[in-house]
Amino acid sequence: ITVEKTSDKQNTKVGDSFIYTLITTNKGDVDLTQTAFNDKAPDQVEFLEVKEPGESTFKSLPSKREYTSKIFSLFRGKSVTAQIKARAIASSTSAVKNTVCVIATTPPSTTTGTCDDTDIIITPPREYCTIPGKETLPKDSPYCKIDAPTPPEMCTVPGKENLPKGDANCKPYFP
């Protein structure tokens, strides 16, 4: 049995939501019964909703701190997926590791399992200008001053919002 955990975002800000995807695969030669995911949220993350294995919609979770899936069977060569909607609730000075484990029973009653983790960087929320009429500007924008001129249309590329839209550096960086 294998398990893989991924996140749709590797970098996020406090208050932002993201989705963890959990995939387990039976690579053995017997069907597995009584299989379940277990995932505990790190201190900087809360779980909001889950899409259980075999279901097509997200449902709220009874606990924002831990998710244990409903029990399912995992047939030879097959994979099962679950997804957790989560929200960043605190920033961290280092990557935040989140681990999922899957446990299953092989006939007649042998237990097997494995774990995988993924990291996410959580930064403080963006601060915005508090001057009336300029609330959409970043707080550190040169236009976030009472006597500043009306700002030009600003760049929408993440991390470059302080630049005018026509600036030569207002382009996504692609290595």
Side-chain angles (χ1 to χ4, degrees):
I1 189 169
T2 63
V3 66
E4 179 184 17
K5 180 171 194 166
T6 59
S7 173
D8 68 335
K9 295 181 182 176
Q10 285 67 49
N11 296 287
T12 192
K13 291 185 177 6
V14 171
D16 289 349
S17 297
F18 55 96
I19 296 176
Y20 286 124
T21 298
L22 321 173
I23 302 172
T24 185
T25 303
N26 181 348
K27 294 191 174 185
D29 56 3
V30 297
D31 294 338
L32 301 174
T33 60
Q34 297 181 344
T35 308
F37 291 109
N38 180 261
D39 196 341
K40 293 180 180 161
D43 292 341
Q44 302 86 350
V45 172
E46 67 180 358
F47 294 155
L48 304 173
E49 297 178 312
V50 65
K51 188 187 298 182
E52 289 275 10
E55 294 188 10
S56 60
T57 58
F58 281 91
K59 295 179 181 163
S60 62
L61 282 166
S63 169
K64 293 184 183 292
R65 305 302 321 144
E66 184 172 2
Y67 162 65
T68 299
S69 71
K70 63 182 181 181
I71 294 173
F72 56 91
S73 294
L74 187 57
F75 300 108
R76 292 181 293 243
K78 299 296 181 181
S79 296
V80 169
T81 301
Q83 290 184 307
I84 301 171
K85 281 187 185 177
R87 178 174 38 229
I89 58 173
S91 60
S92 179
T93 57
S94 60
V96 175
K97 185 177 295 296
N98 186 221
T99 302
V100 65
C101 295
V102 65
I103 298 172
T105 302
T106 60
S109 62
T110 304
T111 301
T112 186
T114 187
C115 300
D116 188 39
D117 53 58
T118 189
D119 293 341
I120 188 167
I121 305 292
I122 302 174
T123 56
R126 180 174 304 281
E127 293 185 30
Y128 290 93
C129 187
T130 57
I131 297 171
K134 298 183 179 186
E135 295 91 344
T136 60
L137 295 172
K139 187 176 184 176
D140 57 352
S141 167
Y143 298 100
C144 182
K145 297 178 184 151
I146 290 175
D147 58 347
T150 302
E153 191 173 349
M154 300 305 282
C155 184
T156 57
V157 175
K160 299 183 179 186
E161 294 91 343
N162 287 341
L163 298 173
K165 187 172 186 174
D167 190 288
N169 292 313
C170 180
K171 295 179 184 160
Y173 172 75
F174 296 105

